[in-house]
Amino acid sequence: MLFLGYSAAVEGFLEQNMQTPSWRDRIQSGPLWAYFLYFMLFGPLTGGASLLFTDAPTSAVLLMAMFGSLSFAGIMTWWMAVMRRRDADATGGIQKAEMLKMARASRTGELPPDRILDHPMLALIERRQRQNQRSLVSLPLILGFGIMYSFVNALNSSANYWWLVGMLFVLMTLGLVQAKRNLTKLDRLETAINIRAHELAD
C-alpha cells in the first residue's frame, strides 16, 4: 500500500511539473485489441440485466450475454478506430508522443509544453468541442428515452425497472456534467493558446 501511494504521488508530481502523460492519456493510444477485451467485460452486465428483467432460462441468458459482449465490443472498438483516424486527419498525423502530450492538454486544460503543437492542438480542440456539444444534445435524447421506457415498465410490468431508471438517470447526469466540464477546459486551453500566439507575434 505504501508503495502504491508513493507511486501515485510521484506520478502526480511528474504530471504537474514535467508534463508527463499519465495512464489516462496513454490509454487513449493503447492497442485496439485491448479496447476490445475491455468492452467484452460488459457481457456480464448484459447477462445480469437479462436475469433481472426477464424470465429467460439460464442458457438463453448466457447466449444473450455472449452475443451482447461481442456485438458491443466490436462496435465500440470500430468506433474507437474511426475516432483515432479522424483525430489523426485533423491534427496532420502527428507522432504518438506528441499525441500523448495533446491528450493530456485536452484533459487538463493546460497548455501543451511544445509551442509547435499549438496549431494541431487547436484543430483537436475544435473536434473535442463539437463532440462534447453533441453529447449535451444526444445524451438527454438517448438516455432520456431509456428512462421514460423503463419508467413505464416499472409502473406496468416489474419493479426491477426502477433500478434501470436510477442507473440511466445517474449516467445521463454524469455524462452532462462531464461534457460541460470538458467544454470549460477546452475553452480555457483555446484561450491560452491564442494568447501565447499573440505574445509570439508581438
Side-chain angles (χ1 to χ4, degrees), residues 66-79:
M66 184 180 301
F67 177 77
S69 295
L70 291 173
S71 300
F72 182 75
I75 292 172
M76 294 303 296
T77 304
W78 169 79
W79 182 245

Side-chain angles (χ1 to χ4, degrees), residues 30 34 39 45 65 76 88 95 107-108 111-112 124 131 134 136 149 165 168-169 175 187 194:
F39 289 124
L45 295 179
M76 294 303 296
Q95 298 297 317
R107 178 177 60 82
T108 62
L111 279 170
L124 186 63
Q131 291 170 353
R134 285 196 296 264
L136 291 176
Y149 176 81
V165 170
L168 292 176
F169 181 78
D187 289 343
N194 289 329

Side-chain angles (χ1 to χ4, degrees), residues 37-103:
L37 294 179
Y38 169 74
F39 289 124
M40 281 285 291
L41 297 176
F42 287 86
L45 295 179
T46 305
S50 300
L51 287 174
L52 187 61
F53 300 113
T54 69
D55 297 325
T58 304
S59 58
V61 170
L62 290 176
L63 287 175
M64 231 187 295
M66 184 180 301
F67 177 77
S69 295
L70 291 173
S71 300
F72 182 75
I75 292 172
M76 294 303 296
T77 304
W78 169 79
W79 182 245
M80 289 297 303
V82 170
M83 296 301 291
R84 285 186 179 182
R85 186 173 66 250
R86 291 178 180 176
D87 284 347
D89 292 341
T91 57
I94 63 175
Q95 298 297 317
K96 180 179 178 180
E98 281 69 30
M99 198 64 195
L100 287 174
K101 296 175 183 177
M102 292 171 62

Side-chain angles (χ1 to χ4, degrees), residues 86-185:
R86 291 178 180 176
D87 284 347
D89 292 341
T91 57
I94 63 175
Q95 298 297 317
K96 180 179 178 180
E98 281 69 30
M99 198 64 195
L100 287 174
K101 296 175 183 177
M102 292 171 62
R104 182 189 185 280
S106 62
R107 178 177 60 82
T108 62
E110 300 174 1
L111 279 170
D114 300 328
R115 293 181 176 179
I116 197 173
L117 297 178
D118 285 359
H119 182 70
M121 190 74 237
L122 288 173
L124 186 63
I125 288 173
E126 184 179 357
R127 266 187 51 75
R128 294 288 185 266
Q129 286 173 330
R130 290 199 302 267
Q131 291 170 353
N132 284 279
Q133 287 165 354
R134 285 196 296 264
S135 295
L136 291 176
V137 177
S138 61
L139 281 176
L141 291 176
I142 297 173
L143 294 183
F145 175 80
I147 291 172
M148 291 299 299
Y149 176 81
S150 302
F151 180 79
V152 172
N153 278 281
L155 293 177
N156 301 321
S157 177
S158 171
N160 289 332
Y161 277 93
W162 287 115
W163 291 98
L164 190 57
V165 170
M167 183 184 70
L168 292 176
F169 181 78
V170 170
L171 288 176
M172 183 179 69
T173 303
L174 292 176
L176 292 174
V177 170
Q178 187 60 48
K180 290 180 179 180
R181 289 181 60 190
N182 291 342
L183 285 171
T184 300
K185 292 178 182 179

Side-chain angles (χ1 to χ4, degrees), residues 111 115 118 190-202:
L111 279 170
R115 293 181 176 179
D118 285 359
E190 183 180 26
T191 300
I193 291 176
N194 289 329
I195 290 175
R196 183 159 72 179
H198 288 310
E199 290 175 349
L200 288 176
D202 294 339

